[in-house]
């Protein structure tokens, strides 16, 4: 099994709206794969469909070779998928420590990986007793990523980690994601093409609910046509 | 076959354009009801000697079962007005109010107190005052409760209505409201007495019903109504386009309040009594139930729902005695579960059909996935 | 220090306001009058809190506005009353629940393969409802002609005495038949609530576990049935204190079970559809009140006998004296105050602290607090949120039922008692901010005090500077005035004192 995650032609409806009309992608083990596309193309819905928050109506999602579509979300993520949603979704009323502890799947997860996490995000150690709602945007983003690292996850889904962050923080974030990708596989949604091109090995482009192009990131950087056509003038 | 049939139903119930004749037919049927009832279930002995056919028919309509069923229909019409007014809020503006009984009860109390011994106002002046009171009341409580949204609005309206209920029941205003006994036997003008002139009262109710129906339809199809519907679907978007949704919600609140107050006044006149029960949450729940059973977001739905609930209540009470609300509650829950869009809504969506239902069953039994 | 002040600004301001209000009202009163009003207010607040806290948690976590909460309160009171006065009802109904639970336990285990055969959303929905209908049909058939009202005629029993033998006990054979039918009714219900997929665990061991549970439940059902006569004599022979404790336990358990049942059957299939859920709880409120009247009758019962600790025919001078004397009332600044009400206050505070610790210190509490903000994210972390939902629903309902039992010796027991309380609880929750636990506590405190002071001042008369006459009124005026408090709070803070802005 070379691919941690394979998505085969999923179609997702939200209410009566047909949001995904056929998305396929694969995420090779150990890679950073990025989902590119314009606003509203369906990138976030793809992530949510993978973990069953918006379950796909047809198509298949394979995680480590086993079908997971149609299962309840907590079963899917319980198998080892970490999810970092957009807008961070840090629990505001919980302290930083509780935000991390709630993600434990086995007792002692946090103790086991705490050092690694606090190495990656030294700020969090200092803020450990503070409620999540009192953190700055950048700190909340770090906490959200850290939370996904607490249990043993073989795949991380990270949605727009650079959104609304200052350039200095984005640099930190890129560095952190690069470091943690040594341990797990990452599927990233990112609007910021520069960040995406620095990080990713592979890409998949989504355009109005369909996956239209996949390949190596190194090829895409050279392919000005495709970038202009699907991602706007960057 | 099934498709064409449901299409036809759909056309009838969709309430747009060329179905005027259906409305006319239903209206004509309702208008002729006293005569038909007089002919079929009225007491033949009630017709006086030497009266002409038509005159005799009217006299027969004032007797026996004909009189009783006219009474039932009058109550249905009153409830329909009440339910339609509720649907302007719930179905067309997306406001889940739990205080609608406030307007219904206040309308009843207003007319009873104003034509009663303390004020002795002429009838039509009192009726005008009911409208004025309803406008003021809905403005005040609309402005107060529309400040908050969602569940908060539901609870706030519930609390306001409960406040009126408590005050109506309180002994402090006994000389005006009759406290927990309510008001009975206030001087309804003799020409409107529902016991003496049942048929006349029936036509009064019918005319008011048609007027409210037309007014509500006019409101909903007007540009104002479109903004209300836009507010229901997505308030933020409506605000972004540049509408001050607060005013449109307030308009809906006032319109609904006035219609409900008229229904309440009519109900008070028909029964020649008002009790604090007209102000309870259960009254609001009635409106909610009628709207939901008939179909939220339609005008026909609440009317159908009112008819069904009135009949259901009557039969259930006859069959099950005092504990009929238990059965009523269960039936209500079943309808909500199985017809989530109400009767009219389900017909319009065509999501109900025996054939499709049977197919679903077969598919379930064989365990095979649906073709296509 | 400044950080602490800033973080808890709302709560501190509210407390200062409350203290100011109390201090202000004390000015015009004799201390003993003021004190007893204060205590009455807190008593009411404690009762309101037991209802409001569950409502608020349920709403915060699941967005369900639970109108059926008041019915649970009444249910608790009646189950408590039954336990205390005539346990015959319990002995004759408990086996039903146990055997039905046994059926559920075994069928829950066997149901998963059935669900895996049905692949479509539609099919699953139909299967779910047809199994439920089958379960209810069997239930209705099994329970037909069960003479619940005669078993339940505790109004005739003298307090502490035995059930008159003239009241016929149900024949054993008939009861066994019914118990068997309820086991059958439990089967389709168990199939309906079976997990939708196989877990990775050891199937064989799990099967043995289910069989053991089922057998245990069935055995205990028949044991209760066989032991019902000596059991009844035993309970009625106990002192009133033990029976009160038993009543508390039974009432709370009944409330929790009812709550869990409501969540599983009516609420769970409709998440994401709040209006349907609300309307269903409304329907339940209508039907539930009638169901209670069908079982326990429409007549109101006088206040239940309180434990002997609060029932001595004397008046203690102080709390310390009360510990040895167990008097009915206690001297507060020269005025008698019922000690049972102090007990209500004590229970209210204990529950407030206990649930607070649960929320603050345990993993479950952490999940609840996180779920109040974003239950989707909690699920995405690999936590079975639905299970937590059921648990919280049961917990909240249990608190309401506990409130019902506690209120029974204070208010009496009647089927309408829920409706009086549910509205005030709603108002308290709105004032405090929906979904906030602290908010529920503060909201109920404000409301309880306002009611107590309002009652006093409305009855004593208020002198307004611009009116010549003193305004006097009935308690109803004070009851209606709480709505004004709510309106004022919402005008200042549209989401309540502790509510989050949307």
């Amino acid at each position: 099994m070379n691919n941690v995650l394979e998505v085969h032609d999923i179609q997702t409806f939200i209410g009566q709206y047909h949001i995904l009309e056929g998305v396929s992608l694969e995420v090779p083990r150990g890679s950073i794969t990025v989902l590119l596309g314009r606003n509203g193309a369906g990138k976030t819905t793809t992530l949510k469909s993978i973990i069953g928050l918006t379950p796909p109506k047809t198509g298949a999602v394979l995680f480590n070779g086993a079908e997971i579509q149609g299962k309840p979300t907590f079963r899917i993520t319980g198998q080892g998928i970490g999810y970092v949603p957009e807008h961070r979704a840090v629990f505001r009323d919980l302290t930083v420590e509780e935000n991390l502890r709630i993600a434990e799947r086995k007792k002692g997860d946090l103790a086991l990986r705490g050092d690694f996490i606090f190495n990656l995000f030294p700020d969090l150690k200092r803020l450990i007793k503070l409620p999540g709602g009192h953190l700055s945007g950048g700190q909340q983003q770090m906490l959200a990523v850290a939370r996904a690292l607490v249990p043993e996850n073989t795949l991380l889904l990270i949605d727009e980690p650079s959104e609304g962050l200052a350039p200095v923080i984005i640099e930190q974030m890129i560095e952190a994601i690069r470091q943690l990708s040594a341990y797990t596989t990452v599927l990233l949604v990112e609007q910021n093409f520069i960040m995406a091109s620095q990080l990713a090995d592979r890409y998949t482009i989504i355009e109005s609910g369909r996956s239209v192009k996949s390949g190596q990131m190194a090829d895409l950087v050279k392919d000005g046509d495709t970038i202009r056509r699907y991602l706007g003038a960057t | 076959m099934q498709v064409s049939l449901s299409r036809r139903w759909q056309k009838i119930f969709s309430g747009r354009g060329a179905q005027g004749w259906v409305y006319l037919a239903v209206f004509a049927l309702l208008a002729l009801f006293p005569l038909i009832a007089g002919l079929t279930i009225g007491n033949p002995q009630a017709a006086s000697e030497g009266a002409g056919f038509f005159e005799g028919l009217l006299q027969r309509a004032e007797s026996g079962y004909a009189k009783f069923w006219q009474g039932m229909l009058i109550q249905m019409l009153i409830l329909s007005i009440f339910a339609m007014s509720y649907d302007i809020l719930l179905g067309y503006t997306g406001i889940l109010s739990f205080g609608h009984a406030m307007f219904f009860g206040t309308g009843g109390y207003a007319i009873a107190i104003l034509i009663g011994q303390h004020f002795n106002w002429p009838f039509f002046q009192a009726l005008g005052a009911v409208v004025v009171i309803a406008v003021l009341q809905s403005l005040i409580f609309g402005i107060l409760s529309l400040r908050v949204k969602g569940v908060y609005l539901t609870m706030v309206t519930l609390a306001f209505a409960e406040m009126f209920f408590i005050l109506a029941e309180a002994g402090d205003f006994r000389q005006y409201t009759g406290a927990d006994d309510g008001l009975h036997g206030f001087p309804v003008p003799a020409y409107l007495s529902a016991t003496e002139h049942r048929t006349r009262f029936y036509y009064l109710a019918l005319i008011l019903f048609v007027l409210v129906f037309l007014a509500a339809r006019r409101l909903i199809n007007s540009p104002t109504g479109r903004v209300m519907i836009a507010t229901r679907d997505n308030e933020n978007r409506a605000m972004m386009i540049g509408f001050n949704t607060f005013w449109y919600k307030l308009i809906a609140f006032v319109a609904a309040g006035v219609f409900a107050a008229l229904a309440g006044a009519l109900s008070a006149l028909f029964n020649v009594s008002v009790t604090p029960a007209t102000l309870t949450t259960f009254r609001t729940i009635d409106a909610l139930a009628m709207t939901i059973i008939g179909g939220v977001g339609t005008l026909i739905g609440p009317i159908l729902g009112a008819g069904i609930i009135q009949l259901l209540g009557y039969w259930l009470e006859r069959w099950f005695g005092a504990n009929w609300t238990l059965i009523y509650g269960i039936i209500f829950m079943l309808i909500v579960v199985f017809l989530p869009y109400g009767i009219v809504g389900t017909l319009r969506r065509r999501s109900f059909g025996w054939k499709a239902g049977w197919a679903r069953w077969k598919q379930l039994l064989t365990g095979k996935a649906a073709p296509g | 220090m400044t950080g602490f002040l800033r973080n808890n600004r709302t709560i501190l301001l509210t407390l200062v306001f409350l203290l100011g209000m109390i201090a202000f009202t004390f000015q015009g009163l004799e201390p003993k009058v003021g004190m007893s009003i204060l205590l009455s207010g807190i008593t009411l607040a404690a009762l309101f809190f037991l209802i409001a806290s569950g409502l608020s948690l349920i709403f915060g976590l699941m967005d369900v506005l639970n109108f059926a909460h008041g019915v649970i309160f009444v249910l608790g009171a009646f189950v408590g009353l039954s336990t205390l006065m005539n346990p015959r009802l319990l002995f004759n109904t408990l086996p039903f629940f146990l055997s039905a639970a046994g059926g559920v336990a075994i069928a829950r285990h066997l149901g998963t393969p059935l669900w895996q055969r049905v692949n479509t959303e539609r099919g699953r929905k139909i299967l779910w409802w047809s199994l439920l209908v089958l379960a209810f049909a069997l239930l209705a058939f099994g329970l037909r002609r069960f003479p619940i009202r005669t078993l339940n005629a505790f109004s005739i029993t003298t307090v502490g005495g035995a059930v008159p033998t003239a009241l016929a006990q149900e024949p054993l054979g008939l009861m066994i038949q019914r118990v068997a039918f309820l086991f059958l009714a439990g089967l389709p219900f168990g199939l309906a609530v079976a997990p939708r997929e196989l877990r990775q665990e050891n199937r064989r061991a799990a099967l043995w576990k289910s069989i053991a549970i089922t057998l245990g439940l069935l055995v205990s059902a028949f044991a209760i049935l066989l032991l019902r006569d000596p059991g009844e004599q035993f309970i009625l022979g106990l002192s009133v204190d033990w029976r009160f404790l038993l009543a508390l336990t039974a009432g709370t358990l009944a409330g929790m079970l009812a709550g869990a049942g409501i969540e599983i059957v009516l609420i769970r299939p409709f998440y994401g559809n709040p209006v349907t859920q609300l309307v269903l709880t409304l329907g339940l409120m209508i039907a539930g009140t009638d169901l209670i009247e069908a079982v326990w009758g429409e007549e109101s019962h006088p206040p239940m006998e309180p434990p002997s600790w609060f029932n001595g025919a004397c008046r203690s001078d102080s709390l310390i004296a009360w510990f040895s004397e167990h008097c009915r009332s206690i001297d507060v600044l020269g005025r008698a105050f019922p000690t049972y009400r102090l007990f209500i206050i004590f229970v209210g505070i204990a529950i407030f602290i206990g649930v607070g610790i649960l929320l603050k210190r345990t993993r479950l509490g952490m999940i609840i607090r996180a779920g109040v903000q974003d239950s989707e994210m909690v699920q995405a972390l690999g936590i079975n949120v639905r299970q937590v939902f059921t648990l919280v629903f049961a917990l909240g309902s249990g608190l309401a039922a506990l409130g019902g039992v506690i209120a029974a010796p204070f208010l009496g027991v009647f089927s309408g008692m829920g409706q009086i309380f549910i509205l005030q609880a709603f108002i308290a929750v709105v004032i405090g901010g929906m979904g906030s636990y602290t908010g529920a506590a503060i909201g109920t405190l404000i409301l309880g005090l306002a009611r107590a002071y309002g009652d006093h001042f409305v009855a004593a008369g208020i002198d307004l500077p611009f009116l010549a006459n003193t305004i006097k009124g009935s308690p109803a005026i004070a009851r209606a005035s709480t709505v004004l408090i709510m309106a004022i709070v919402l005008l200042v803070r549209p989401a309540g004192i502790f509510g989050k802005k949307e």
Side-chain angles (χ1 to χ4, degrees), chain B residues 212-233:
Chain B
V212 168
F213 177 74
L214 292 177
R217 208 157 79 121
R218 185 79 193 81
L219 174 69
I220 284 153
N221 291 332
S222 70
T224 311
R226 304 236 176 280
V227 182
M228 285 179 197
I229 294 171
T231 309
R232 172 195 71 186
D233 291 342

Side-chain angles (χ1 to χ4, degrees), chain B residues 96 98 144 147-148 151-152 154-156 158-160 162-163 166-167 169-173 282 285 288 292 322-323 325-326 328-330 332-333 336-338 351 360-361 363-367 369-370, chain C residues 59 65 67 117-120 122-123 126-127 129-130 266 270 276 278-280 282-287 290-291 294 419 423 426 430 433-434 472-474 476-477 479-480 483 486-487 490-491 494-495:
Chain B
L96 182 58
F98 256 68
L144 279 177
R147 258 185 70 85
V148 294
V151 210
Y152 282 92
T154 307
M155 310 261 256
V156 170
L158 172 71
F160 284 140
E162 198 70 9
M163 183 173 82
I166 294 170
L167 291 181
E169 218 187 22
D172 309 75
F173 313 105
F282 288 101
I285 295 173
L288 178 72
I292 283 184
N323 276 335
T325 41
L326 172 64
Y328 172 67
I330 292 171
F332 178 46
M333 286 194 271
V336 169
V337 167
F338 285 107
S351 60
R360 261 178 261 148
W361 263 105
Q363 181 189 315
L364 179 79
L365 294 173
T366 51
Chain C
F59 178 80
L65 197 57
F67 277 90
R117 274 176 60 86
V118 186
N119 298 315
T120 59
R122 268 246 153 92
I126 295 172
L127 183 60
W129 283 108
S130 41
L266 286 181
F270 300 103
T276 305
L278 184 141
V279 170
L280 284 174
L282 266 181
L284 201 66
M285 177 177 93
I286 299 172
D290 275 291
L291 197 64
Q419 257 147 40
L423 183 86
F426 269 145
V430 169
M434 305 221 46
K472 281 193 176 190
S474 64
I477 305 287
R479 206 141 63 88
V483 176
M486 180 195 71
L490 286 180
L491 284 177

Side-chain angles (χ1 to χ4, degrees), chain C residues 335-486:
Chain C
R335 223 183 194 209
F337 189 80
T339 43
Y340 185 75
R341 296 199 199 170
L342 288 181
F343 172 69
I344 294 178
I345 296 174
F346 169 76
V347 171
I349 293 173
I351 293 287
F352 173 64
I353 294 173
V355 176
I357 288 173
L358 174 86
L359 285 175
K360 213 67 191 176
R361 296 262 180 268
T362 65
R363 183 174 166 78
L364 175 68
M366 197 158 79
I367 293 172
I368 294 173
R369 279 184 295 144
V372 167
Q373 186 197 325
D374 187 349
S375 60
E376 209 171 60
M377 189 60 222
V378 174
Q379 210 185 9
L381 290 173
I383 294 161
N384 188 350
V385 162
R386 291 288 163 89
Q387 219 167 10
V388 178
F389 283 3
T390 313
L391 215 64
V392 169
F393 217 99
L395 182 78
S397 303
L399 287 181
L402 176 70
V405 187
I406 297 275
F410 170 47
L411 294 171
V413 183
F414 47 100
S415 59
M417 66 194 290
Q419 257 147 40
I420 302 172
F421 273 75
I422 188 88
L423 183 86
Q424 300 290 332
F426 269 145
I427 293 177
V429 169
V430 169
I431 289 177
M434 305 221 46
S436 161
Y437 182 68
T438 329
I442 295 285
T444 47
L445 201 57
I446 291 176
L447 214 65
L449 290 178
R451 279 289 299 279
Y453 284 114
D455 281 349
H456 177 78
F457 283 115
V458 169
I462 306 170
D463 284 308
L464 283 180
F466 47 87
L467 281 178
N469 299 344
T470 316
I471 300 176
K472 281 193 176 190
S474 64
I477 305 287
R479 206 141 63 88
S481 67
T482 54
V483 176
L484 284 181
I485 297 178
M486 180 195 71

